């Protein structure tokens, strides 16, 4: 329940907002309907609704709630009323004692550190900050300067839920160029947007709403969007930009490079972090830069999609004819220049990096959204959508369509498709390398570590499947050992299925054999004689023997007490030995009906020994019975003991043969899983070769020239 003070403050703000809105011109965008307070709202919910109301009131009439004079209309497009101030003239507007600048609604003063938006979570943040997920804000670590990056577990947890192919889309570029807005359009959930000169995104942020996408071949991928800290900010260091860019290149399967206006050759010098890719990233431990090394780099690095914003000039090629932005960049910007000075060499290195190190290159241009600053500053507000130019809306729709066409699963350095779990592991390896002085991320080493972790988790997951299924058997023990072995085989095959499901994207034969052996030994280890001597199955076999012995002994004691002992205690001259034998036979029959497990025969031997002990104690009385023949009784006892020994040997042989057969079936199941993994791997390789052939054909296809009917100009597609 909210307090009366909160309720009164809320109602005061609602009344004040109604009064301010009525006084505003009709052309002013209106605030949305206030959230109503409910009787069962908590204090926290009430506070959030209060805060929402205050932000709405600030949005429609910001100058009326802060110090300062009216700066005048922004451009005449959205006229605003002059700022209202209270009688004192300088103090912030107070509503029934609640100042919108009070500590209740704002944090204490300090450096500007932005908080999260609704559709994104921090993935990788500067190491001089902590993320307060409860209050949704950054907290500076006193006395610590920024030197590297650190990961946030919330985003990693979201990544690890993606078990199938993942398509990471990263956007990089200068701050205040609309990166977050584009990702908001792609995801449908809002990334943090800003309208000040300070960077609004620090580190790398991940969309909190990964979404499924169907590729042209019918495969499903999970698309995850990543927003990055703006480069070349006034407070940024060269090392900071290089860290963010290198990590984005390593992370994504599609890299969107977002810039403003059309670049020229001399602008390439500012893209030094692209030219330094060969120094910032290693594919293998060796520093070789052969053609094969470059080819391997391009296969595992993302597609490069250059998005140029606020382009309102006609794009022409060298012949002066209209052309695509890709053609313009290839002919006028990315074509190598002749020259020997350092600037030309740096520019050519950037050109070569863009065209060589990335798996594909494309470009697209967007016109400016508006000439009005206020519209640009409120792009995320749907009420300003009508003031954005139709050319921008149409261009944004085309850009989104082109980006979606380029969605593809992320691949490792070996060319295999990876999932979200593996992407999180790779990211941890890369961040550790970036934070280590004198070290650069090594893709091959990082993938080796990731693959080992993948198989380790697959083994752990498979063992857990086996353990969880076997746990239910504890309630059913004791049971026949063959029944227990049959359950083991069924559950072991379930565990193998789980292991294959977790490693289906990566069929490394050596690692698979090694980890399957580990899984096999964890579940059931068989020694040279074929006997299970370790593993989870061995524990259950031992438990089954223990429970079997306890159960059979309880049955034996009960039957002796109920059936045999009363007859022996009541022996007299009138008792017939036949009565004793009937009692023993009844106990014997009931024992074998109720006995269970591998220790039944051993305990039955104890039963016979106890009968012999009782007979010796009452030997004098038995001799007085008319139908008692000592010689025949001794022969009968020897015969029973021999049958027990024979049964013990037969059961032991049967148990050993059963375990040997189980070892054979377990090996066959493992072999079948390996064969299926290899078959799937071959299918995957064939599919990848087919895709590469199709891509090569598309790249080698000559450009299509589309001529307009109204004139002689053409567009190269």
């Amino acid at each position: 329940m909210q307090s009366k003070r909160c309720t009164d403050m809320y109602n005061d703000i609602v009344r004040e907002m109604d009064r301010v809105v009525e006084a505003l011109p009709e052309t002013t965008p209106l605030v949305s309907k206030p959230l109503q307070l409910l009787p069962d709202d908590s204090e926290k919910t009430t506070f959030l609704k209060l805060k929402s109301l205050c932000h709405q009131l600030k949005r429609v009439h910001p100058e009326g709630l802060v110090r300062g004079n009216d700066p005048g209309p922004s451009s005449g497009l959205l006229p605003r009323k002059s700022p209202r101030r209270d009688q004192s003239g300088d103090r912030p507007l107070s509503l029934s004692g609640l100042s919108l600048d009070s500590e209740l609604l704002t944090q204490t003063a300090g450096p500007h550190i932005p908080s999260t938006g609704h559709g994104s979570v921090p993935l990788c943040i500067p190491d001089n900050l902590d993320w307060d997920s409860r209050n949704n804000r950054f907290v500076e670590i006193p006395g610590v300067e920024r030197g590297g990056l650190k990961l946030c577990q919330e985003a990693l947890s979201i990544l690890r839920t993606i078990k199938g192919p993942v398509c990471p889309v990263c956007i990089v570029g200068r701050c205040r160029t609309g990166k977050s807005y584009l990702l908001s359009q792609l995801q449908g959930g809002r990334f943090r947007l800003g309208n000040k000169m300070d960077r609004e995104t620090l580190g790398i942020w991940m969309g909190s709403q990964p979404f499924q996408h169907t590729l042209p071949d019918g495969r499903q991928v999970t698309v995850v969007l990543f927003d990055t800290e703006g480069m070349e900010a006034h407070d940024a260091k060269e090392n900071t930009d290089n860290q963010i860019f290198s990590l984005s290149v390593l992370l994504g399967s599609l890299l969107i490079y977002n810039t403003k206006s059309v670049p020229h050759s001399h602008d390439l010098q500012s893209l030094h972090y692209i030219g330094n890719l060969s120094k910032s990233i290693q594919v293998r431990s060796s520093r070789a830069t052969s053609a094969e090394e470059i080819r391997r780099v391009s296969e595992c690095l993302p597609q490069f999609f250059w998005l140029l914003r606020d382009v309102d000039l006609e794009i022409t090629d060298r012949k002066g004819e209209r052309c695509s932005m890709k053609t313009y960049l290839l002919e006028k910007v990315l074509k190598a220049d002749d020259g020997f000075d350092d600037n030309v060499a740096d520019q050519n290195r950037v050109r070569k990096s863009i065209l060589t190190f990335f798996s594909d290159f494309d470009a697209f241009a967007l016109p400016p959204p508006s000439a009005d600053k206020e519209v640009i500053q409120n792009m995320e507000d749907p009420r300003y959508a009508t003031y954005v130019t139709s050319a921008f809306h149409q261009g944004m729709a085309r850009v989104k369509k082109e980006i979606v066409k380029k969605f593809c699963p992320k691949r490792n350095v070996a060319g295999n498709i990876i999932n979200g779990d593996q992407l999180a592991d790779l990211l941890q390896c890369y961040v550790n390398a970036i934070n280590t002085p004198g070290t650069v991320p090594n893709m091959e080493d990082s993938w080796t570590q990731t693959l080992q972790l993948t198989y380790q988790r697959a083994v752990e997951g498979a063992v857990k499947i086996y353990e969880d299924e076997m746990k239910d058997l504890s309630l059913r023990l004791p049971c026949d050992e063959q029944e227990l072995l049959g359950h083991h085989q069924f559950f072991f095959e379930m565990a193998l299925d789980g292991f294959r499901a977790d490693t289906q994207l990566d069929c490394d034969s050596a690692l698979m054999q090694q980890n399957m052996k580990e899984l096999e030994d964890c579940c059931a280890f068989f020694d040279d004689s074929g006997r299970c001597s370790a593993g989870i199955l061995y524990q259950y076999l031992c438990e089954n023997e223990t429970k079997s012995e306890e159960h059979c002994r309880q049955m034996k004691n009960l039957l002796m007490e109920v059936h045999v002992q009363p007859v022996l205690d009541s022996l007299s001259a009138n008792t017939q030995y036949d009565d004793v034998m009937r009692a023993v036979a009844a106990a014997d029959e009931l024992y074998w009906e109720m006995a269970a497990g591998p220790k039944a025969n051993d305990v039955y031997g104890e039963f016979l020994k106890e009968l012999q002990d009782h007979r010796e104690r009452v030997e004098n009385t038995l001799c007085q019975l008319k139908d008692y023949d000592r010689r025949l009784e001794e022969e009968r006892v020897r015969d029973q003991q021999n049958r027990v020994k024979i049964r013990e040997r037969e059961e032991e042989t049967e148990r050993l043969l059963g375990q040997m057969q189980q070892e054979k079936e377990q090996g066959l199941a493992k072999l079948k899983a390996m064969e299926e993994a290899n078959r799937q791997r071959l299918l995957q390789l064939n599919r990848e070769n087919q895709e590469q052939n199709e891509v090569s054909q598309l790249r080698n296809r000559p450009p299509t020239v589309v001529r307009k009917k109204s004139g002689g100009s053409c567009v190269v597609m």
Side-chain angles (χ1 to χ4, degrees):
M1 295 288 291
Q2 65 268 20
S3 66
K4 185 176 183 301
R5 177 172 176 266
C6 284
T7 304
D8 291 342
M9 286 191 294
Y10 187 89
N11 293 332
D12 286 342
I13 295 176
V14 170
R15 284 193 294 271
E16 179 66 17
M17 187 169 66
D18 289 341
R19 187 171 65 81
V20 170
V21 169
E22 288 177 1
L24 292 173
E26 294 181 356
T27 53
T28 304
L30 297 180
V31 295
S32 58
K33 185 177 180 180
L35 298 170
Q36 298 298 317
L37 284 184
L38 301 177
D40 57 347
D41 280 348
S42 64
E43 287 284 349
K44 182 177 180 180
T45 302
T46 304
F47 167 73
L48 291 175
K49 289 183 177 181
L50 274 169
K51 190 172 182 179
S52 174
L53 265 180
C54 293
H55 282 309
Q56 290 187 60
L57 192 53
K58 282 184 176 182
R59 181 182 293 283
V60 298
H61 199 45
E63 287 84 5
L65 302 178
V66 296
R67 299 182 181 90
N69 297 320
D70 184 14
S74 58
S75 63
L77 179 63
L78 300 176
R80 297 180 300 201
K81 194 173 179 67
S82 298
R84 289 180 60 259
R85 290 189 294 174
D86 63 348
Q87 299 295 329
S88 63
D90 286 332
R91 289 184 294 108
L93 179 64
S94 179
L95 305 175
S96 298
L98 173 66
S99 171
L100 297 185
D101 289 348
S102 68
E103 292 183 0
L104 179 63
L105 298 180
T106 59
Q107 300 295 329
T108 56
H112 172 66
I113 301 177
S115 62
T116 181
H118 298 294
S120 56
V121 291
L123 171 68
C124 192
I125 63 175
D127 57 1
N128 64 330
L129 300 175
D130 281 329
W131 175 248
D132 182 359
S133 59
R134 184 174 182 180
N135 296 311
N136 214 32
R137 67 188 183 95
F138 282 118
V139 178
E140 273 197 314
I141 302 176
V144 177
E145 293 186 3
R146 178 172 180 174
L149 300 166
K150 63 182 179 182
L151 295 168
C152 298
Q153 292 304 315
E154 180 183 358
L156 288 179
S157 299
I158 296 175
L159 266 184
R160 293 191 185 281
T161 62
I162 304 172
K163 300 305 179 183
V166 61
C167 170
V169 178
C170 299
I171 188 167
V172 296
R174 294 183 178 181
C175 57
R176 303 274 66 81
T177 56
K179 300 188 301 296
S180 302
Y181 177 80
L182 174 60
L183 294 184
S184 297
Q185 295 295 306
L186 288 171
Q187 177 177 266
R190 187 169 67 86
F191 277 72
R192 178 69 180 177
L193 305 180
N195 51 26
K196 299 183 179 67
M197 286 305 297
D198 292 324
R199 290 172 292 181
E200 199 65 30
T201 302
L202 293 176
I204 298 178
W205 288 60
M206 187 182 81
S208 58
Q209 303 163 17
F211 55 91
Q212 293 286 319
H213 175 71
T214 304
L215 299 176
D217 59 4
R219 288 180 297 166
Q220 292 277 332
V221 295
T222 302
V223 181
V224 189
L225 306 179
F226 296 93
D227 193 11
T228 62
E229 181 175 345
M231 299 177 179
E232 300 183 34
H234 64 89
D235 58 342
K237 298 179 181 178
E238 180 178 346
N239 185 49
T240 300
D241 288 349
N242 191 57
Q243 288 176 349
I244 296 296
F245 184 79
S246 299
L247 203 53
S248 302
V249 169
L250 292 166
L251 187 63
S253 62
L254 174 61
L255 182 71
I256 303 173
Y257 184 59
N258 190 81
T259 60
K260 284 204 170 187
S261 70
V262 179
H264 300 281
S265 295
H266 62 271
D267 295 327
L268 291 176
Q269 198 164 357
S270 63
L271 306 182
H272 53 84
Y273 36 81
I274 299 180
N276 291 331
L277 270 179
S278 59
K279 300 178 181 178
S280 305
I281 297 173
Q282 277 185 289
V283 176
R284 294 177 296 187
S285 298
S286 64
R287 281 288 188 178
T289 55
S290 62
E292 175 64 18
E293 179 77 0
I294 294 174
R295 186 190 65 80
R296 291 187 64 189
V297 171
S298 65
E299 287 179 352
C300 49
L301 291 186
Q303 305 170 80
F304 191 92
F305 186 84
W306 197 334
L307 179 61
L308 299 104
R309 312 291 285 264
D310 300 348
V311 177
D312 51 6
L313 300 176
E314 187 176 63
I315 306 300
T316 59
D317 58 17
R318 289 184 179 274
K319 297 179 181 179
E321 297 179 342
R322 290 186 61 188
C323 65
S324 66
M325 180 54 70
K326 178 179 179 179
T327 301
Y328 173 85
L329 292 175
L330 290 174
E331 290 188 356
K332 293 189 175 182
V333 180
L334 299 179
K335 187 175 178 63
D337 284 344
D338 296 329
F340 301 97
D341 61 14
D342 293 340
N343 291 338
V344 172
D346 291 341
Q347 293 171 15
N348 285 338
R349 187 169 64 251
V350 172
R351 294 184 177 100
K352 183 178 179 181
S353 296
I354 293 176
L355 298 177
T356 303
F357 284 105
F358 295 100
S359 58
D360 189 25
F361 171 78
D362 205 351
F364 203 89
L366 265 180
S370 174
D372 186 86
K373 290 183 179 180
E374 186 168 356
V375 174
I376 296 175
Q377 292 173 356
N378 294 277
M379 289 284 290
E380 79 280 12
D381 193 331
R383 295 169 297 179
Y384 285 81
T386 56
Y387 300 105
V388 177
T389 64
S390 60
F392 179 82
H393 283 306
Q394 294 170 4
M396 180 59 70
R398 289 195 298 272
V399 166
K400 290 165 61 176
K401 186 176 180 180
E402 291 298 319
I403 290 174
V404 169
K405 286 181 182 178
K406 297 183 179 298
F407 285 166
C408 63
K410 175 68 176 176
R411 296 181 183 274
N412 59 30
V413 68
N416 298 332
I417 296 173
I418 69 175
N419 57 29
D421 231 342
Q422 294 168 332
L423 188 64
D425 290 335
L426 281 172
L427 186 59
Q428 289 180 312
C429 293
Y430 294 149
V431 170
N432 290 339
I434 285 174
N435 291 336
T436 304
T439 304
V440 297
N442 184 293
M443 300 178 72
E444 191 171 56
D445 291 347
S446 298
W447 175 244
T448 299
Q449 297 177 40
T450 296
L451 197 57
Q452 290 172 346
L453 289 173
T454 297
Y455 277 94
Q456 181 181 340
R457 272 196 302 269
V459 170
E460 292 171 355
V463 170
K464 187 175 187 307
I465 291 174
Y466 180 82
E467 282 182 322
D468 290 345
E469 296 295 336
M470 291 289 283
K471 278 179 183 177
D472 296 336
L473 284 178
S474 293
L475 301 177
R476 302 171 59 180
L477 299 181
C479 67
D480 183 73
E481 190 166 289
Q482 293 304 313
E483 179 184 352
L484 182 58
L485 292 176
H487 284 295
H488 154 75
Q489 181 61 26
F490 182 74
F491 297 148
F492 179 72
E493 290 180 4
M494 288 180 59
L496 278 179
D497 290 342
F499 177 84
R500 281 295 304 125
D502 289 340
T503 59
Q504 62 180 342
L505 298 179
D506 308 282
C507 179
D508 184 291
S509 298
L511 274 176
M512 178 164 286
Q513 288 182 350
Q514 174 186 339
N515 285 274
M516 271 193 179
K517 183 68 170 84
E518 181 181 347
L519 169 61
E520 184 181 25
D521 293 345
C522 285
C523 294
F525 175 78
F526 295 89
D527 58 25
D528 294 338
S529 65
R531 188 184 303 275
C532 181
S533 57
I536 299 172
L537 175 61
Y538 177 73
Q539 297 173 7
Y540 279 91
L541 290 173
C542 293
E543 182 182 354
N544 191 41
E545 289 185 359
T546 301
K547 289 188 175 181
S548 174
E549 186 174 1
E550 293 174 355
H551 170 76
C552 292
R553 190 167 284 133
Q554 288 176 356
M555 295 300 102
K556 180 259 299 180
N557 294 336
L558 178 63
L559 293 173
M560 287 289 295
E561 181 181 351
V562 173
H563 291 275
V564 180
Q565 194 64 43
V567 176
L568 294 177
D569 291 343
S570 61
L571 287 176
S572 64
N574 297 325
T575 304
Q576 294 187 359
Y577 188 68
D578 220 22
D579 296 334
V580 177
M581 294 308 300
R582 278 196 297 271
V584 172
D588 189 275
E589 182 179 358
L590 288 173
Y591 174 82
W592 286 112
E593 287 180 3
M594 294 185 292
K599 289 295 183 179
N601 203 62
D602 292 347
V603 177
Y604 183 71
E606 295 177 8
F607 175 65
L608 295 180
K609 187 176 185 304
E610 287 186 21
L611 283 177
Q612 179 66 19
D613 292 341
H614 280 294
R615 186 171 57 252
E616 291 176 356
R617 284 198 299 269
V618 294
E619 180 70 24
N620 294 332
T621 306
L622 289 175
C623 290
Q624 299 174 8
L625 301 181
K626 297 178 181 180
D627 55 348
Y628 177 71
D629 188 329
R630 182 172 182 176
R631 185 179 58 81
L632 292 176
E633 177 62 20
E634 289 176 350
E635 289 180 359
R636 187 185 64 81
V637 170
R638 283 195 298 270
D639 184 59
Q640 280 185 323
Q641 291 174 344
N642 289 333
R643 287 202 303 270
V644 168
K645 291 178 181 179
I646 292 172
R647 188 184 299 154
E648 285 179 353
R649 287 195 293 270
E650 290 176 348
E651 289 184 353
E652 181 62 24
T653 302
E654 184 180 354
R655 290 173 60 190
L656 182 57
L657 289 175
Q659 293 188 20
M660 292 173 65
Q661 179 64 24
Q662 194 61 50
E663 181 186 21
K664 182 179 178 180
E665 292 180 2
Q666 186 169 297
L668 288 174
K670 187 175 68 170
L671 181 61
K672 182 180 177 181
M674 281 293 300
E675 290 176 348
E676 178 62 19
N678 290 330
R679 188 182 70 84
Q680 293 291 339
R681 178 59 178 157
L682 286 175
L683 290 175
Q684 180 181 338
L685 290 174
N686 290 335
R687 186 168 55 244
E688 291 172 0
N689 289 334
Q690 185 178 356
E691 291 175 359
Q692 290 177 359
N693 292 335
E694 291 175 355
V695 170
S696 298
Q697 291 175 4
L698 288 174
R699 288 180 178 175
N700 296 330
R701 188 179 64 183
T704 302
V705 179
V706 180
R707 296 190 178 276
K708 289 191 173 182
K709 296 180 180 180
S710 58
S713 60
C714 64
V715 178
V716 180
M717 305 298 288

